[in-house]
């Protein structure tokens, strides 16, 4: 073996140190925020479709068909990102996470329209996230119909975004994959929530950002409304087949088989309808009211077309 | 004759090579088992959702020093260590310290270090201090006497634990930090450990001692080696030198352990690790290692200094007594909670404190497997006796709901088996809300993250002055610490878990009855 003399050894150390130093210099100390330009709605934004029945898969399809069908939204080769609620380590029957049957049916519909990559993603709260994806049934269900399932658990999975219309937050983060997607579908589950009374569609978007704690330290309802001005789903499918009445958002608590699936593109309208399932109105929920005031959407159900299918 | 010699020589060479192959294999198995010490999601078995591929703690089960010290100190038979340890004991009685030469992963690491770093050292000028090698027996004496007095200190000197701790505390965090998507490496938790410097320092120090002589640690310091040497005094596998020895002394510098000195036909049996290095160099091929009871050249006597043995035993007694009378041993007036640290939160299933500390061999497997990195080696929480035992540090990681991995990997069963379903009534601590810090209490913020995240519905909100504020229901709070971990106020969370809810001294039925006292949940 060739012997290393002192000079070479010191040279190598210096080289290594230099490389590390330069590597560190290359890191930007703060990524500049990216503007998010919402796409034009593909469905009528004044319509909220409410499908009633028992079978979750059929309800899902009926709700989307009622709005005009998935083929109006998804074109051949599109990358679709689906954001269900997979925050908690609970089996689906608890009603704390989106029903995997609903997620699978949406994936199937996207694939039928020729979608390329379909990614199911969430920022999971309970750990380890791999177990959460498993126990909630989402991983098995979505992968069986050809979707990818992942959890965005590292800060590097997020990108900084601008929120120009935000009152409190002017900039925040969002899951990178979601920003790159051609189609973004928000698939929340309807349930009660300690801090915000209810968690529906706009609250589910809180799982797209990295630092949730910051919103709690600030004003939560305002932050949710601010975020909704920047991140707009192309389609919202609110899973209200089984809703969690107490113990939300994680449960376990009392559940009710409401047998509803609500589809729409107006986040405020969908949430406002969702609130009625809990014998409340959109105006009772601060973040829905704030989003309405900020022009995110329409809270007044009388001004909307509610289409029952 | 020449042909016959050549044939025999290659066979002799093979024995040494076989030993090398076995060493590499055993080290590989050690690393593989270490890497397997992770939780793997098992979708089919809902009761046991995370499984760890057994038996990943094999090396700790078979280690007779740890088994003996833990069993004596805890005054309990630890069946799993007995069953796995006995074969090694029996084999060592028959075949000497083969474990050191063939199996021990630290021994193999030392041999590899020699090959890689200390090649240039002149073996002939290697010091061979005969008095120094007695140190390991003195250490063993101290360890065993301390165990008799109820204090288990074997963990500090045991080679398997030293290596595993270095791997867990110092190497594993590098692997997770590297961000490489490797199989068996958790992708969403970056592991950090206290004591990473100490663990790495001990291993590097032991490896560095090789610059003085080969296997310096094994020759002079290793108490496991001392134990195996002691029980192998009547071993029937022996080194024999035939009468055609020409006295060339080539075997003497070849011996890694310095077990042969001055007279090549003689050797110190308790020092021999059966590495077969001495046989192939013999020009007359008169050296053999084979089953025999021939007494010629076989020396099993130890030239121990009785005074030193007594001194070591005295130190062992002192350590045990100091541990038992340290303030950390003090219990609260009522109940069985140690007063030393409110942060002494043990993993669920942990035995009552005294037995837990006596049994725990500080192998660090529970901390490696913990999926949230919340289990950390104790600094001062458990006092002098409990240093490096696992404590839950909720601000680093919570005890996650559907997990019992630490109880699955504990070789000494200081953490008793726990079913995931039982975790709702195994109380390891209690959460307390610090209303002066809590933003829902002190500034009416919309924050109920603790209530949201609680897996046991122990944190609940009530409306006070028109604002929803968190409360802890003590009968349901098991002390898992997720509330402290997720609290937006960091690093000193506004809700914190303390040890006062620890109910390890109660049976599981009694703990269940305590949970049943919880009032109905309203919202």
């Amino acid at each position: 073996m060739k012997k290393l003399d002192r000079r070479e050894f010191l040279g190598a150390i210096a080289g290594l140190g230099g490389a590390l130093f330069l590597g560190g210099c290359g890191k930007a100390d703060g990524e500049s925020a990216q503007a998010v330009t919402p796409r034009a709605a593909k469905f009528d934004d004044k319509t909220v479709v409410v499908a009633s029945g028992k079978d979750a898969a059929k309800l899902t399809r009926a709700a989307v068909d009622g709005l005009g069908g998935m083929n109006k939204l998804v074109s051949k080769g599109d990358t679709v990102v689906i954001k269900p609620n997979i925050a908690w380590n609970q089996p689906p029957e608890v009603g704390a996470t989106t029903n995997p049957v609903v997620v699978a049916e949406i994936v199937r519909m996207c694939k039928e329209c020729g979608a390329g990559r379909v990614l199911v993603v969430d920022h999971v709260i309970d750990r380890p996230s791999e177990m959460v994806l498993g126990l909630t049934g989402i991983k098995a269900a979505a992968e069986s119909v050809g979707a990818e399932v992942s959890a965005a658990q590292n800060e590097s999975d997020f990108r900084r975004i601008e929120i120009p219309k935000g009152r409190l937050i002017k900039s925040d983060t969002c899951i990178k994959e979601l920003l790159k997607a051609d189609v973004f579908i928000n698939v929340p589950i309807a349930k009660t929530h300690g801090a915000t009374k209810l968690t529906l569609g706009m609250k589910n978007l809180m799982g797209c950002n990295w630092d949730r704690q910051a919103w709690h330290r600030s004003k939560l309802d305002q932050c949710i409304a601010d975020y909704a001005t920047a991140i707009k789903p192309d389609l919202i499918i609110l899973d209200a087949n089984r809703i969690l009445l107490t113990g939300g958002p994680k449960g376990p608590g009392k559940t009710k088989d409401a047998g509803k699936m609500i589809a729409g593109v107006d986040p405020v309208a969908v949430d406002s309808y969702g609130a009625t399932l809990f014998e409340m109105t959109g105006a009772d929920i601060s973040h829905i009211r704030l989003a309405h005031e900020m022009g995110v959407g329409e809270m007044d159900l009388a001004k909307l077309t509610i289409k029952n299918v | 004759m020449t042909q016959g010699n050549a044939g025999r020589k290659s066979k002799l060479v093979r024995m040494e090579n076989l030993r090398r192959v076995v060493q590499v294999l055993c080290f590989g198995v050690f690393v593989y088992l270490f890497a397997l010490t992770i939780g793997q999601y098992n979708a089919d078995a809902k009761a046991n959702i995370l499984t760890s591929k057994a038996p990943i703690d094999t090396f700790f089960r078979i280690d007779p020093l740890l088994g003996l010290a833990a069993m004596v100190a805890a005054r309990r038979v630890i069946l799993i260590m007995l069953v796995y340890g006995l074969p090694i004991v029996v084999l060592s009685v028959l075949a000497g310290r083969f474990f050191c030469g063939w199996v021990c992963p630290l021994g193999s690491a030392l041999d590899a270090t020699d090959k890689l770093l200390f090649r240039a050292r002149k073996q002939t000028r290697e010091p061979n201090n005969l008095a120094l090698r007695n140190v390991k027996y003195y250490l063993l004496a101290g360890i065993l006497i301390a165990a008799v007095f109820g204090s288990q200190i074997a963990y500090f000197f045991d080679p398997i634990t030293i290596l595993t701790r270095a791997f867990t505390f110092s190497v594993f965090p590098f692997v997770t930090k590297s961000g490489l998507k490797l199989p068996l490496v958790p992708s969403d938790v970056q592991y950090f450990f206290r004591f990473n410097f100490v663990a790495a320092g001990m291993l590097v120090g032991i490896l560095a001692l090789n610059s003085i002589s080969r296997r310096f640690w094994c020759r002079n310091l290793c108490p496991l080696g001392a134990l195996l040497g002691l029980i192998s005094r009547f071993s029937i596998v022996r080194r024999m030198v035939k009468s055609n020895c020409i006295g060339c002394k080539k075997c003497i510098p070849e011996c890694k352990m310095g077990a042969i000195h001055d007279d090549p036909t003689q050797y110190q049996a308790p020092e021999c690790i059966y590495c077969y290095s001495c046989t192939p160099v013999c020009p007359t091929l008169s050296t053999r290692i084979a089953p025999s009871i021939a007494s010629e050249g076989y020396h099993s006597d130890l030239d121990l200094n009785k005074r030193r043995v007594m001194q070591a035993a005295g130190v062992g007694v002192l350590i045990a007594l100091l541990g038992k009378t340290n303030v950390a041993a003090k219990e609260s007036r009522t109940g069985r909670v140690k007063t030393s640290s409110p942060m002494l939160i043990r993993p669920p299933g942990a035995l009552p404190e005294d037995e837990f500390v006596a049994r725990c061999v500080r192998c660090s497997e529970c901390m490696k497997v913990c999926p949230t990195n919340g289990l950390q080696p104790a600094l001062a929480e458990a006092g002098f006796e409990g240093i490096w035992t696992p404590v839950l540090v909720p601000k680093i990681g919570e005890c996650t709901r559907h997990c019992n991995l630490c109880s699955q990997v504990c070789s000494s069963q200081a953490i008793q088996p726990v079913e995931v379903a039982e975790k709702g009534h195994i109380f390891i601590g209690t959460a307390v809300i610090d209303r002066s810090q809590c933003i829902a209490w002190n500034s009416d913020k919309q924050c109920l993250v603790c209530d949201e995240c609680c897996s046991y519905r122990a944190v609940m909100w009530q409306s006070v002055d028109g604002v929803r504020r968190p409360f802890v229901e003590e009968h349901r709070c098991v002390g898992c610490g997720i509330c402290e971990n997720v609290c937006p106020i960091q690093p000193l969370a506004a809700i914190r878990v303390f040890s006062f809810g620890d109910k390890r001294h109660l049976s599981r039925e009694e703990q269940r009855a305590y949970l049943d006292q919880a009032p109905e949940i309203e919202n």
Side-chain angles (χ1 to χ4, degrees):
Chain A
M1 204 173 88
K2 183 179 172 295
K3 281 208 170 174
L4 207 63
D5 66 22
R6 184 180 297 161
R7 185 183 297 258
E8 282 172 329
F9 176 72
L10 290 176
I13 294 285
L16 194 66
L20 287 172
F21 177 75
L22 288 176
C25 291
K27 257 185 208 164
D29 50 359
E31 220 182 326
S32 61
Q34 191 185 48
V36 185
T37 32
R39 288 175 285 267
K42 301 271 175 67
F43 301 115
D44 175 28
D45 63 357
K46 291 281 171 277
T47 304
V48 173
V49 180
V50 181
S52 306
K54 280 204 175 110
D55 184 289
K58 278 183 194 158
L59 277 178
T60 310
R61 192 171 284 269
V64 177
D65 287 347
L67 209 56
M70 193 64 94
N71 50 8
K72 277 181 89 173
L73 183 63
V74 177
S75 317
K76 207 168 176 342
D78 275 358
T79 299
V80 181
V81 166
I82 297 170
K83 167 35 180 115
N85 186 328
I86 334 176
W88 308 113
N89 210 350
Q90 295 282 21
E93 54 272 19
V94 171
T97 50
T98 306
N99 188 345
V101 175
V102 174
V103 176
E105 189 64 17
I106 296 168
V107 174
R108 204 176 281 123
M109 286 190 283
C110 292
K111 287 282 178 188
E112 283 163 13
C113 299
R117 186 167 172 241
V118 181
L119 178 70
V120 176
V121 67
D122 195 6
H123 180 184
V124 175
I125 298 174
D126 271 334
R127 295 189 289 184
S129 56
E130 187 202 16
M131 174 162 66
V132 179
L133 296 181
L135 191 67
T136 54
I138 300 273
K139 191 175 171 72
E143 283 183 351
S144 71
V145 285
E148 292 169 41
V149 179
S150 73
Q153 300 302 96
N154 296 304
E155 198 169 359
S156 57
D157 297 328
F158 295 78
R159 183 185 288 165
R160 192 144 277 286
I161 54 159
E162 283 173 16
I163 306 178
K165 290 184 199 157
R167 288 178 181 171
L168 276 178
I169 44 174
K170 292 286 179 192
S171 164
D172 211 311
T173 52
C174 183
I175 297 171
K176 276 180 186 171
E177 297 280 4
L178 195 153
L179 294 169
K180 284 191 286 185
D182 300 305
V183 176
F184 165 42
I185 305 175
N186 185 18
V187 194
I189 180 160
K191 50 183 177 165
T192 53
H193 192 277
T196 59
K197 292 188 185 170
L198 293 180
T199 162
L200 305 160
M202 287 186 285
K203 175 70 177 64
N204 191 41
L205 296 182
M206 194 169 173
C208 300
N209 90 333
W210 169 245
D211 186 0
R212 287 180 276 233
Q213 261 91 346
W215 290 14
H216 286 281
R217 286 192 300 264
S218 177
K219 283 184 179 157
L220 183 57
D221 283 327
Q222 186 60 60
C223 292
I224 295 168
D226 284 359
Y227 200 72
T229 63
I231 301 295
K232 289 205 168 152
D234 298 303
L235 173 63
I236 304 152
I237 300 165
L238 175 63
D239 175 10
N241 192 34
R242 166 171 289 188
I243 61 177
L244 184 61
L245 297 177
T246 65
K250 187 172 182 172
K254 281 183 204 136
T255 58
K256 179 182 157 192
D257 289 321
K260 298 250 191 279
M261 196 68 57
I262 299 132
V265 284
D266 179 339
V268 181
V270 170
D271 283 10
S272 187
Y273 185 88
T276 62
L277 301 172
F278 297 86
E279 287 157 6
M280 289 188 228
T281 65
D284 294 335
I285 311 298
S286 303
H287 67 260
I288 300 179
R289 197 180 61 241
L290 288 167
H292 170 81
E293 285 167 12
M294 292 170 77
V296 176
E298 181 53 58
M299 178 175 79
D300 187 355
L301 297 180
K303 293 183 184 165
L304 297 161
T305 314
I306 308 295
K307 190 173 163 188
N308 286 295
V309 293
Chain B
M1 183 71 192
T2 326
Q3 255 187 338
N5 265 355
R8 229 184 105 207
K9 186 156 185 167
S10 69
K11 190 182 167 193
L12 285 168
V13 172
R14 272 212 301 279
M15 205 56 189
E16 200 191 4
N17 284 340
L18 179 66
R19 186 256 305 161
R20 290 203 179 108
V21 170
V22 171
Q23 276 189 298
V24 169
L25 273 178
C26 285
F27 192 81
V29 168
F30 175 79
V31 173
Y32 182 62
L33 291 176
F34 177 81
L36 273 186
T37 315
I38 56 162
Q40 289 178 332
Y41 177 71
N42 180 359
D44 303 325
K46 288 244 161 131
N48 225 9
I49 283 160
L50 283 173
T51 52
S52 206
K53 294 263 164 73
I56 55 168
D57 53 343
T58 302
F59 278 90
F60 298 98
R61 295 184 190 179
I62 66 173
D63 184 331
L65 176 67
L66 292 177
L68 182 64
M71 283 190 259
V72 172
R75 283 107 170 98
R76 286 286 154 90
V77 172
I78 303 171
L79 201 59
I80 201 162
M81 295 183 108
L82 194 67
V83 169
Y84 279 75
L86 267 183
I88 295 290
V89 171
V90 171
L91 281 174
S92 300
V93 168
L94 298 175
R97 282 175 71 180
F98 79 96
F99 182 88
C100 308
W102 292 60
V103 180
C104 178
L106 184 62
S108 306
L110 286 168
D111 284 350
T113 310
D114 258 324
K115 282 267 185 300
L116 297 170
L117 297 180
F118 302 123
R119 263 181 165 174
R121 188 195 44 227
K122 291 275 179 295
Q123 290 172 3
T124 44
R125 280 165 49 198
E126 199 171 62
N128 194 9
N129 187 332
L130 299 183
L132 193 59
R133 66 181 47 205
N134 285 340
V135 171
K136 61 179 178 289
Y137 295 104
Y138 305 143
L139 281 177
L140 179 65
I143 289 168
L144 294 181
I145 294 295
V148 169
F149 280 77
S151 212
Q152 189 258 113
I153 53 172
Y155 73 86
F156 191 84
F157 303 98
D158 183 83
I160 313 283
T161 59
I162 288 172
L163 191 61
T164 311
R165 279 196 302 263
F167 270 46
T168 303
F169 299 161
S170 317
V171 179
F172 183 51
F174 287 168
V175 178
T176 58
K177 186 84 182 167
S178 72
L180 293 174
K181 292 261 185 281
L182 296 170
L184 303 177
V185 173
S187 61
D188 62 341
V189 180
Q190 163 60 46
Y191 281 81
F192 297 93
F193 287 104
R194 306 158 163 186
F195 281 117
N196 60 345
F197 286 97
V198 180
M202 274 185 84
L203 179 61
V204 170
I206 286 167
L207 297 180
L209 285 173
N210 258 29
S211 63
I212 303 171
S213 71
R214 286 163 298 161
R215 288 209 176 217
F216 183 93
W217 161 262
C218 317
R219 288 184 190 203
N220 306 314
L221 301 175
C222 179
L224 175 59
L227 179 66
L228 295 173
L230 273 183
I231 62 174
S232 68
R233 295 184 72 173
F234 308 106
S235 143
I236 53 160
V237 181
R238 297 181 173 186
R239 174 179 181 268
M240 287 161 294
V241 182
K242 281 194 287 188
S243 54
N244 59 346
C245 167
I246 52 171
C248 69
K249 299 193 175 182
K250 278 189 177 167
C251 52
I252 294 176
E254 220 40 59
C255 180
K256 288 177 185 175
M257 295 293 287
I260 316 167
H261 31 92
D262 306 333
D263 183 355
T265 63
Q266 311 286 313
Y267 83 115
Q268 284 294 323
E271 304 300 324
C272 175
I273 58 170
Y274 299 86
C275 68
Y276 286 84
S277 299
C278 56
T279 53
V281 294
C282 184
T284 55
L285 296 178
S286 49
T287 306
R288 285 196 313 137
I289 296 174
S292 163
I293 48 164
S295 58
E296 214 164 313
Y298 180 87
H299 296 284
S300 61
D301 49 311
L302 300 172
D303 186 20
L304 294 183
N305 181 330
K306 286 203 184 72
R307 186 182 292 259
R308 290 261 185 277
V309 174
M310 294 309 290
Q311 286 167 348
V315 172
V317 173
L318 193 64
I319 289 175
L321 293 182
L322 287 174
K324 300 288 167 212
T325 55
N326 183 262
V327 68
K330 182 140 183 79
E331 287 177 350
S332 59
R333 280 196 188 192
T334 54
R336 283 289 167 79
V337 176
K338 298 281 177 182
T339 55
S340 58
S341 171
M343 265 63 114
L344 182 62
I345 302 162
R346 296 298 192 188
L351 286 164
E353 186 63 11
D354 293 331
E355 192 180 348
F356 180 81
V357 171
R359 278 201 190 196
C360 173
V361 298
R362 331 285 151 103
C363 67
S364 76
E365 296 266 41
C366 55
M367 303 177 224
K368 201 244 166 193
V369 80
C370 179
T372 65
N373 192 215
L375 279 185
Q376 290 283 327
L379 297 163
E381 289 95 336
F384 176 72
E385 269 198 303
I387 201 158
W388 298 353
T389 50
V391 287
L392 183 75
V393 182
K395 69 179 158 196
I396 297 177
E398 71 279 10
C399 178
T400 196
R401 177 67 183 88
H402 297 273
C403 173
N404 59 359
L405 285 170
C406 50
S407 78
Q408 291 183 41
V409 301
C410 185
S411 61
S412 66
Q413 292 181 341
I415 308 172
Q416 296 274 301
V418 166
E419 293 296 327
V420 164
E422 291 177 304
K423 282 182 75 180
H425 61 270
I426 297 182
F427 295 85
I428 61 175
T430 301
V432 179
I433 294 170
D434 179 347
R435 291 187 186 177
S436 68
Q437 294 254 349
C438 175
I439 53 177
W441 279 100
N442 70 12
S443 52
D444 299 352
K445 297 276 188 194
Q446 266 183 302
C447 181
L448 286 166
V449 183
C450 45
D451 154 77
E452 268 186 53
C453 293
C454 181
S455 302
Y456 305 91
R457 307 234 28 218
V459 187
M460 296 168 306
W461 59 265
Q462 281 171 35
S463 219
V464 178
D465 300 332
V467 177
R468 289 180 174 187
R469 308 187 207 255
F471 288 81
V472 176
E473 206 301 297
E474 59 178 358
H475 293 280
R476 268 193 294 271
C477 177
V478 294
C480 76
I482 193 170
C483 49
E484 182 173 342
N485 189 267
V486 296
C487 178
I489 310 304
Q490 293 290 343
L492 188 67
I495 181 164
R496 297 190 287 278
V497 176
F498 296 109
S499 62
F500 75 81
D502 179 352
K503 296 197 182 3
R504 279 182 284 163
H505 56 285
L506 299 180
S507 71
R508 295 206 182 152
E509 291 72 34
E510 288 167 317
Q511 296 190 53
R512 170 86 228 187
Y514 180 79
L515 169 68
D516 290 340
Q517 294 171 31
E520 286 285 309
I521 302 169
E522 284 165 17
N523 52 45

